[in-house]
Amino acid sequence: MKANPISIRLTQINTEDCEFQISTRQSVDGLAASIAQIGLIHPPLVISRPDSAYAIVSGFRRVRACRQLGWSETPARLIPDGRNTMEVLALAVADNAQHRDLNLIEQARAVAKLSPFFANDADLAAYCGPLGLSLNPELVSRLKRINRLSLAIRDCIGRGSISLGIALELEKLDGPAGQALAGLFDGLRPTLSQQKEMLSMAKDIAASEDLSVPDLLETGELAKIRSNRNFNRQQKVKQVRAFLKKRRYPGIQAFEDAFEKSRRALELPEAITLRPPPDFEAQKFSIVLTFQTAAELAAHVQTLERLPADSHFEAIINKRLADSDPIH
Amino acid sequence: MRIQTLYIDQAVADHPLCTTIAARLGLSPEPVASSEAAYRFVADAADPVATGKRTLLLTRNKGAFIRPCPGTSYYTCCNYMILHIGTFCVMDCAYCILQSYFHPPLLQYYVNQSEMMTALDTVFAEGEIRRIGTGEFTDSLIWESVDPVSEKLIKKFAGQDQAILEIKSKSVDIEHLLDLPHNRKTIMAWSLNTESVVACQERGTASLEARLRAASRCQKRGYPLAFHFDPLILYPGCETDYLAVLDRLFNTIDPSRIVWISLGSFRFMPDLKPIVQARFPASKIIYGEFIKGMDGKMRYFKPQRLAVYRTLVDRIRHKAPQVTAYFCMEDDEAWQHAFGFTPAEKGGLPAMLDRAAIRHCGLRP
């Protein structure tokens, strides 16, 4: 589709008209500096409206940057009259997607705007491919769910602090619970696997103790950890995970603590590591030892020979650790 | 049995049992060319599990009537055989694995019972000791009001001495079974749990008192008995509660009449958790301290379940030392911890149970 180059007054552009807006990016400072130095390389794409104003199809930040620079006019590319809404939306998506990867919120926004024109997700996904937006029906379905999330959670997704998978899990929760978890993840930036673990434990604790997720995350011990200025982000993540685990799995945590205490009591050198079976479920323990010389190996063998008679070792391999209370 | 929708597979529409069952239910059946229509009706419902408990498909069992129990890897199975009379259940237990086992969950009842009887004749003729039960994919007694299949089976098993039938239930519909000539070849078994678990997690089941009373009545009529503490649900104070149930059991039932008692802690495929959360929002059973077991099922943290096992086994041994107690799907460590031996030392779990069946039921190996 050919767009006609024109020059228009910035006051003629209605920046409140967001029908075709895909981009979520807000800051224009860097862009304004770039335009001031080398000019506007890629003029915004606009369409004329019946009220003789122009709507932006692509280039919302460029228009704002030009205004910030005090320009009164800007070059633009005008879409010829007669194009239907779907075609113009396609131009908006393509003009954004061909210059950069769209973030998840932008993809969700594109899907939301285009989906009324398609009978099913497969047709929509196929249509988006040539526009530079690589989708499949499953992803289209998931992106539609993002649009149901609160603005706060969508902002977290836009900033990349929570993934699509986590966002969709949050979408299943009530609004305050989802927002409380999104706030936790946005503030602490745990890894994806840590987010999954925290999400699962927080949901279970809240359900089992008849608490709300915000009450759990935003009051008491967790609130203290999160607001503690003496901890950096990684330390807070570690403390929050430890707190949640102890609350969700008190018996397992107590058993693991007792195991560690008994393992330390064995006074094994660093080169010898005693490993329990995963979750203490299977029966086989393992010992890993590292050595460089025959003398080191001989010393390790001597250490190993004393283990069977050690009461701590016996307690460990029989999984009978006195400090742990298995059920309560 | 409260069925709202009755489907009949066209292939068995002329079977007299279909007419009888439809009349007993007071429903006009909807004939279907295949099971698909019934499956779709259940799968498309807002709550497929609840819908499946009110929807019955009368059909024929196209597969084997007698199958080995689908025990999983690593843990020790008793090698019980399942007699496949039907699927699913009208009772509604929060922990029931059948909610996520069938896709979709649907009550199905197999009317080609002459083929079932032929399959049993074949097994009886094999000359091997067999333990066969109907209570794995369904509750054994829920069908009695529409078709007294247990009555037919008890009579069938009474005529041979190679196999025992185990009828396992949480209901007490036994009146019509009491005076049957069972010849000790049917073991009447009940799942038992604590009062709080029965009250809060087992919708539509008979009370603990009623189950023990029914067992006592069967005892008086000479039936061998069995009891299953499965699933054991762990909660603060559960040991005291389970010990109280054991005490009530042994105060009601003569231990010399008990063929076996099984113990098994709550275990489930991860798929069950969201179903329980949705269908039983007040239930806390899925918030126990579970780990993923060696067979992929969620299980209580081993030191926790071993502690409970040991307490219960000690009480069983104290009150009923001659009763064969066993674990359903546990490993050697659990056996050693609670019993002080592994099944292998006694010839294997199947052999242990075979011996108990021979002793109590007069089987001839």
Side-chain angles (χ1 to χ4, degrees):
Chain A
M1 182 188 300
K2 191 176 177 191
N4 303 316
I6 57 168
S7 180
I8 51 177
R9 288 200 309 278
L10 283 166
T11 52
Q12 289 179 279
I13 299 175
N14 179 6
T15 51
E16 301 297 309
D17 185 339
C18 296
E19 182 177 5
F20 305 108
Q21 185 170 18
I22 301 298
S23 173
T24 57
R25 298 196 295 182
Q26 295 295 322
S27 171
V28 297
D29 289 347
L31 182 60
S34 167
I35 293 171
Q37 188 171 336
I38 58 175
L40 186 60
I41 299 169
H42 192 63
L45 195 58
V46 298
I47 188 168
S48 61
R49 293 298 203 188
D51 62 0
S52 71
Y54 293 96
I56 303 169
V57 175
S58 174
F60 282 79
R61 287 174 67 235
R62 279 166 274 170
V63 169
R64 281 178 29 232
C66 292
R67 283 185 173 169
Q68 188 171 304
L69 290 169
W71 292 11
S72 57
E73 288 195 2
T74 180
R77 293 169 293 148
L78 177 64
I79 296 171
D81 290 343
R83 299 296 171 188
N84 65 35
T85 303
M86 188 180 82
E87 290 173 316
V88 179
L89 279 169
L91 279 172
V93 172
D95 203 54
N96 280 282
Q98 285 169 3
H99 290 95
R100 63 187 176 83
D101 289 336
L102 300 187
N103 67 36
L104 283 170
I105 296 299
E106 291 167 336
Q107 292 179 41
R109 195 177 272 178
V111 163
K113 288 175 188 277
L114 283 168
S115 61
F117 302 100
F118 293 88
N120 58 61
D121 294 347
D123 289 349
L124 174 54
Y127 182 78
C128 286
L131 307 181
L133 187 55
S134 179
L135 301 176
N136 58 54
E138 170 67 18
L139 183 54
V140 168
S141 164
R142 288 155 68 94
L143 289 170
K144 283 179 175 175
R145 288 172 56 198
I146 282 188
N147 292 309
R148 296 200 286 265
L149 289 165
S150 70
L151 187 60
I153 296 178
R154 279 184 283 161
D155 283 346
C156 293
I157 299 171
R159 283 193 291 274
S161 58
I162 59 176
S163 67
L164 175 59
I166 292 290
L168 295 180
E169 286 300 313
L170 299 182
E171 188 252 336
K172 294 177 191 167
L173 305 176
D174 65 50
Q179 272 172 240
L181 280 157
L184 176 72
F185 300 153
D186 197 42
L188 302 185
R189 301 290 175 116
T191 63
L192 177 59
S193 64
Q194 288 169 340
Q195 288 185 22
K196 284 182 181 169
E197 179 195 69
M198 291 166 145
L199 172 64
S200 169
M201 290 194 291
K203 276 166 49 184
D204 281 3
I205 293 166
S208 66
E209 297 181 16
D210 294 322
L211 272 177
S212 74
V213 171
D215 278 350
L216 173 67
L217 299 182
E218 293 164 359
T219 61
E221 190 63 27
L222 278 179
K224 283 184 197 161
I225 294 169
R226 294 172 68 182
S227 62
N228 191 326
R229 292 170 186 274
N230 296 320
F231 296 147
N232 63 30
R233 218 169 54 200
Q234 283 80 14
Q235 287 171 319
K236 287 181 182 178
V237 169
K238 189 176 174 185
Q239 297 263 341
V240 168
R241 290 175 67 210
F243 174 85
L244 290 173
K245 185 174 177 194
K246 191 170 182 179
R247 182 103 164 235
R248 174 65 184 86
Y249 301 106
I252 294 177
Q253 188 62 57
F255 192 89
E256 287 178 351
D257 290 346
F259 170 79
E260 277 308 325
K261 191 174 167 187
S262 294
R263 180 157 64 176
R264 279 196 302 275
L266 294 175
E267 297 181 336
L268 295 173
E270 275 186 23
I272 298 179
T273 308
L274 173 63
R275 291 181 183 160
D279 295 319
F280 295 90
E281 178 63 17
Q283 297 172 69
K284 288 182 180 169
F285 286 73
S286 62
I287 286 177
V288 176
L289 54 89
T290 55
F291 58 92
Q292 281 185 297
T293 65
E296 277 182 14
L297 177 60
H300 292 341
V301 169
Q302 274 195 328
T303 303
L304 295 179
E305 279 177 345
R306 74 168 165 79
L307 285 183
D310 190 310
S311 60
H312 296 293
F313 183 75
E314 191 187 355
I316 285 172
I317 61 168
N318 288 321
K319 302 178 189 170
R320 288 173 188 167
L321 299 169
D323 288 354
S324 68
D325 179 1
I327 303 178
H328 310 114
Chain B
M1 198 173 223
R2 289 178 190 158
I3 302 300
Q4 291 177 346
T5 309
L6 176 63
Y7 290 103
I8 293 186
D9 185 339
Q10 276 176 353
V12 296
D14 296 332
H15 197 290
L17 202 46
C18 292
T19 313
T20 306
I21 292 173
R24 284 183 177 155
L25 289 171
L27 293 172
S28 300
E30 184 177 327
V32 287
S34 76
S35 308
E36 261 320 296
Y39 291 165
R40 219 171 28 250
F41 174 75
V42 171
D44 291 347
D47 181 349
V49 176
T51 305
K53 288 177 179 293
R54 299 189 298 263
T55 307
L56 172 61
L57 171 66
L58 300 178
T59 184
R60 62 186 297 274
N61 183 359
K62 301 171 189 76
F65 264 103
I66 302 171
R67 303 178 192 183
C69 179
T72 53
S73 60
Y74 183 77
Y75 302 99
T76 302
C77 178
C78 70
N79 290 2
Y80 171 83
M81 306 291 286
I82 298 164
L83 182 58
H84 215 33
I85 56 171
T87 63
F88 211 35
C89 187
V90 291
M91 292 180 272
D92 202 7
C93 300
Y95 53 71
C96 180
I97 59 164
L98 298 181
Q99 295 175 98
S100 64
Y101 189 84
F102 297 116
H103 300 281
L106 168 69
L107 284 164
Q108 292 186 89
Y109 192 63
Y110 304 129
V111 297
N112 53 328
Q113 290 176 350
S114 59
E115 290 173 44
M116 176 173 76
M117 296 303 180
T118 303
L120 283 170
D121 286 333
T122 304
V123 168
F124 296 159
E126 286 170 354
E128 301 282 337
I129 298 297
R130 300 285 189 201
R131 289 167 282 111
I132 301 172
T134 51
E136 187 79 10
F137 291 138
T138 183
D139 182 282
S140 296
L141 292 179
I142 60 165
W143 306 100
E144 297 301 293
S145 62
V146 292
D147 178 44
V149 63
S150 294
E151 180 179 334
K152 299 173 201 174
L153 290 171
I154 289 169
K155 290 175 182 169
K156 178 80 175 170
F157 274 74
Q160 54 78 53
D161 53 17
Q162 293 297 308
I164 60 91
L165 169 69
E166 184 174 23
I167 288 179
K168 189 159 47 174
S169 187
K170 293 190 186 89
S171 77
V172 293
D173 189 3
I174 55 159
E175 199 64 44
H176 60 299
L177 307 179
L178 289 173
D179 292 324
L180 294 177
H182 55 74
N183 193 26
R184 290 190 292 139
K185 299 303 180 289
T186 294
I187 298 171
M188 297 299 289
W190 277 269
S191 297
L192 301 182
N193 226 307
T194 66
E195 288 283 15
S196 69
V197 170
V198 172
C200 302
Q201 314 295 342
E202 299 183 352
R203 288 179 194 155
T205 63
S207 68
L208 177 60
E209 180 62 30
R211 291 180 217 179
L212 292 174
R213 208 165 41 237
S216 175
R217 294 183 74 199
C218 287
Q219 175 183 255
K220 286 178 185 142
R221 306 304 172 103
Y223 277 104
L225 303 173
F227 299 94
H228 299 278
F229 288 82
D230 194 351
L232 294 168
I233 306 290
L234 272 50
Y235 57 87
C238 69
E239 286 164 301
T240 306
D241 291 353
Y242 280 112
L243 289 175
V245 178
L246 278 172
D247 290 346
R248 281 175 71 179
L249 169 63
F250 295 127
N251 288 337
T252 310
I253 302 297
D254 176 357
S256 71
R257 306 294 295 278
I258 299 174
V259 187
W260 49 61
I261 294 175
S262 79
L263 304 172
S265 57
F266 182 33
R267 55 211 178 273
F268 56 96
M269 291 306 289
D271 290 355
L272 184 69
K273 184 174 176 179
I275 295 173
V276 178
Q277 285 173 318
R279 300 197 64 244
F280 299 87
S283 175
K284 308 293 185 197
I285 57 169
I286 46 170
Y287 304 118
E289 296 193 48
F290 297 105
I291 54 94
K292 189 169 269 191
M294 306 295 284
D295 55 359
K297 290 184 180 176
M298 306 307 292
R299 293 170 169 265
Y300 288 114
F301 185 51
K302 198 172 204 177
Q304 296 184 330
R305 55 186 211 269
L306 261 53
V308 174
Y309 286 154
R310 186 163 185 162
T311 302
L312 301 192
V313 168
D314 283 352
R315 181 61 59 94
I316 293 170
R317 286 187 148 179
H318 175 69
K319 296 261 187 177
Q322 71 275 42
V323 169
T324 300
Y326 72 97
F327 289 134
C328 180
M329 304 307 289
E330 275 297 354
D331 67 2
D332 283 353
E333 185 179 18
W335 279 85
Q336 193 67 50
H337 183 84
F339 289 101
F341 62 83
T342 64
E345 293 171 43
K346 307 283 183 184
L349 177 56
M352 288 169 59
L353 300 184
D354 285 350
R355 287 196 295 272
I358 290 165
R359 191 166 65 246
H360 284 272
C361 306
L363 299 183
R364 294 179 196 280

